[in-house]
Amino acid sequence: MKWKEQLLSLKPYQPGKSIEEVKRQFGLNEIIKLASNENPFGCSPKATAAISQPSTFFALYPDGYATKLRQALAADLNVEPEQLIFGNGSDETIMMLSRALLTPETNTVMATPTFPQYKHNAIIEGAEVREIPLKDGEHDLNAMLKAIDEKTAIVWLCSPNNPTGTYIPADKLREFMLQVPEDVLIVLDEAYCEYTTVNDYHDSIELVKDFPNVIALRTFSKIYGLASLRIGYGIAQRELIQAMEPVREPFNANRFAQEVAIHALNDKAFIENCRQTNQEGLAQYYQFCEEEGLSYYPSQGNFILIDFNVDGDEVFQFLLEQGYIVRSGQALGFPTSVRVTVGSPEQNEGVIKVMKQFIQERASLS
């Protein structure tokens, strides 16, 4: 078989260690996973109640158009139903866009470090990848503009950015979009938008209304707590969505995901509580970093990137052996850092205690 040449050296996505794997490896009874930016409080009780379905529910294909969820989400966002496209998580939507627009004759512009699937899918399609280093943890929009030329097909913007948690202020974002050629798609990845609390975070619905070359990507995996059901979506003008639809796999959003997402969407109190608790959790980490003199980026997501000034794998391993799974910065482009998902107050307190222990033990060896 003649595989695409770019696949021969491309590594598949490497998920973090599972709870079960760590339990077996270290003989631990309790593991706290703070590595994948999942919601520590799970999902809304209303969503949980929707999971119970009759056996006939299993045997039928899902609604390929996701009609009920489409109507509910369109009403919630105040957009037309035809402005939405659904995917098996945001990952599939990213893959759809890459498959639709990227070729070996095109290039794509993105920040680095950022969410790795932009680059991953571009490589598969054979497109040239133009990575623009972050500036103080933020997108360098001026440098990204300079990287755009007549062969640019897609520009990726992740706000809040993964793994730094930084965001692009609304005025800077709009100014940037006004300078991007209309034949270049701007993908605005907002996976963590529901966690934001700043006053100058952008309004993607207004941006989509004003720019025909913009699509905003969102997900039910993060604050809605439905990561295992894999349901994400894109918002854009009708013509853009229509052009994407032929790339979408039939029945790609499963029946459980569609049904549960509707109920999760309706529980605004749960979302607001998660947002508030997340801010309180970030404050716990900020205090720890200030006390220990550690650098960090103020985050608008449900995670924080902390620089320990040592090999991130060393910090990761120490925490792992104490029953806390975090993400080493070695795999994220920040080799001396770790990224920690904000957990419950008790989980945050626990991992901070172990991080302090790491600092103390390492200091005693020097």
Side-chain angles (χ1 to χ4, degrees), residues 22 24 31 34 65 82 111 120 149 163 188-189 229 232 235 295 309 315-316 333 343 345 347 354:
V22 176
R24 287 195 303 269
I31 304 296
L34 301 173
Y65 193 62
E82 296 79 13
H120 185 91
D149 61 19
L188 186 54
D189 189 343
L229 293 182
I235 316 162
S295 298
N309 292 309
V315 186
F316 164 81
Q347 290 171 342
V354 177

Side-chain angles (χ1 to χ4, degrees), residues 242-255:
Q242 287 177 341
M244 280 183 68
E245 276 290 347
V247 184
R248 182 178 62 81
E249 294 289 340
F251 312 119
N252 63 328
N254 72 78
R255 295 193 82 199

Side-chain angles (χ1 to χ4, degrees), residues 171-183:
D171 56 346
K172 292 183 179 180
L173 181 59
R174 180 172 284 273
E175 181 182 352
F176 173 84
M177 290 180 171
L178 287 169
Q179 298 177 74
V180 174
E182 291 186 1
D183 62 346

Side-chain angles (χ1 to χ4, degrees), residues 66-202:
T67 305
K68 287 174 60 180
L69 175 58
R70 181 181 298 273
Q71 292 173 344
L73 188 57
D76 188 73
L77 298 173
N78 195 26
V79 300
E80 296 299 319
E82 296 79 13
Q83 289 184 252
L84 299 171
I85 190 165
F86 294 92
N88 187 36
S90 291
D91 294 307
E92 190 193 21
T93 317
I94 292 167
M95 184 173 68
M96 283 191 274
L97 291 167
S98 300
R99 187 178 181 187
L101 290 169
L102 298 181
T103 69
E105 290 73 41
T106 63
N107 68 65
T108 180
V109 177
M110 64 194 70
T112 186
T114 192
F115 187 53
Q117 290 305 102
Y118 313 146
K119 181 178 181 179
H120 185 91
N121 282 283
I123 291 173
I124 291 174
E125 301 302 332
E128 177 193 353
V129 178
R130 297 184 176 180
E131 296 181 283
I132 309 302
L134 296 174
K135 193 174 183 180
D136 298 324
E138 299 179 353
H139 284 66
D140 188 343
L141 297 179
N142 290 331
M144 293 182 76
L145 281 172
K146 291 177 182 177
I148 297 172
D149 61 19
E150 68 279 357
K151 292 186 177 181
T152 304
I154 303 178
V155 175
W156 305 89
L157 302 172
C158 188
S159 181
N161 185 49
N162 181 7
T164 57
T166 55
Y167 74 103
I168 305 171
D171 56 346
K172 292 183 179 180
L173 181 59
R174 180 172 284 273
E175 181 182 352
F176 173 84
M177 290 180 171
L178 287 169
Q179 298 177 74
V180 174
E182 291 186 1
D183 62 346
V184 175
L185 178 67
I186 303 170
V187 181
L188 186 54
D189 189 343
E190 308 178 313
Y192 302 94
C193 65
E194 292 90 356
Y195 281 110
T196 60
T197 58
V198 289
N199 293 327
D200 59 344
Y201 189 72
H202 65 267

Side-chain angles (χ1 to χ4, degrees), residues 263-298:
H263 291 79
L265 189 67
N266 290 332
D267 195 343
K268 302 301 183 186
F270 175 81
I271 298 304
E272 182 55 40
N273 182 64
C274 289
R275 181 188 297 113
Q276 179 60 39
T277 307
N278 183 70
Q279 285 297 306
E280 294 168 1
L282 282 170
Q284 289 179 269
Y285 289 102
Y286 296 159
Q287 181 179 350
F288 159 70
C289 290
E290 297 293 343
E291 290 175 351
E292 300 294 339
L294 301 177
S295 298
Y296 65 94
Y297 293 110

Side-chain angles (χ1 to χ4, degrees), residues 324-350:
Y324 289 91
I325 310 175
V326 299
R327 195 74 189 271
S328 170
Q330 285 282 3
L332 303 174
F334 290 89
T336 61
S337 300
V338 294
R339 190 193 67 194
V340 186
T341 301
V342 178
S344 67
E346 296 76 22
Q347 290 171 342
N348 299 332
E349 183 178 343

Side-chain angles (χ1 to χ4, degrees), residues 346-358:
E346 296 76 22
Q347 290 171 342
N348 299 332
E349 183 178 343
V351 75
I352 287 171
K353 181 179 179 180
V354 177
M355 289 191 289
K356 286 182 177 180
Q357 183 181 343
F358 169 81

